[in-house]
Amino acid sequence: MVREVVIYPDKRLKQVSKEVEAFDAELHELLDDMYDTMIARNGVGLAAIQVGVDKRALIINIPLEDKEPEASQPRENTLEMINPVIIEADGKEKFQEGCLSVPGFYEDVERHKHVVVEYYDRFGKKHTIEDDDFLAIAMQHEIDHLDGRVFVERLSYIKRKKFEKEWKKRQKAS
Ligand code: CO
């Protein structure tokens, strides 16, 4: 079921999400709804707080192929991560990002090029994943959401000011 997406600057996006303790049917329904919502909105990733649920769960729309050989993911085009933790990060990379909570706005953000992330799948099994490409950027963007951070908050002071001005204008117009 498609859920409503929380739009910036909604205060819920500032919440620090809580660790998932129960890998149960409610979590699975949340993940399934997040998938439906991401696909319906043509997103590449979504964190639970973006549908108003403050749980440390996120999904990323990416072909998994050799990334997730254990087939613990219900969909081969989507990585589900519960309670993810970045355990290693190095290098720098600038990449143009967007976000379903900031629709229609895209800007370059600097992040680590390479990350190693520990996480649990929907069944509570622990995994480690490593990437130095698009997935690395996407994981950092989505984990930021779990910590109450939206990508526009990583822009330089001047770009941020410009964005806030544009965004206010746009919200008034809509
Ligand atoms: Co986002």
Side-chain angles (χ1 to χ4, degrees), residues 74-89:
R75 296 177 190 90
E76 60 187 17
N77 68 341
T78 303
L79 177 64
E80 299 178 344
M81 309 180 98
I82 318 299
N83 300 339
V85 178
I86 296 173
I87 56 167
E88 264 182 66

Side-chain angles (χ1 to χ4, degrees), residues 45-47 50 98-101 141-142 145 150-151:
L46 194 69
Q50 292 182 274
C99 181
L100 289 180
S101 292
H141 176 116
E142 299 307 334
H145 277 300
V150 177
F151 83 103

Side-chain angles (χ1 to χ4, degrees), residues 23-69:
F23 294 80
D24 57 6
E26 192 187 326
L27 175 71
H28 294 185
E29 191 185 342
L30 170 67
L31 290 164
D32 292 342
D33 286 357
M34 284 167 64
Y35 178 80
D36 292 344
T37 306
M38 176 179 73
I39 295 302
R41 302 264 182 273
N42 290 315
V44 292
L46 194 69
I49 196 63
Q50 292 182 274
V51 293
V53 179
D54 62 340
K55 285 184 178 170
R56 299 188 79 82
L58 64 87
I59 59 171
I60 295 169
N61 189 214
I62 192 161
L64 293 177
E65 294 157 11
D66 57 323
K67 285 282 175 207
E68 239 327 275

Side-chain angles (χ1 to χ4, degrees), residues 86-91 112-116 140:
I86 296 173
I87 56 167
E88 264 182 66
D90 50 75
H112 291 294
K113 168 143 182 67
H114 169 246
V115 291
V116 181
Q140 292 172 81

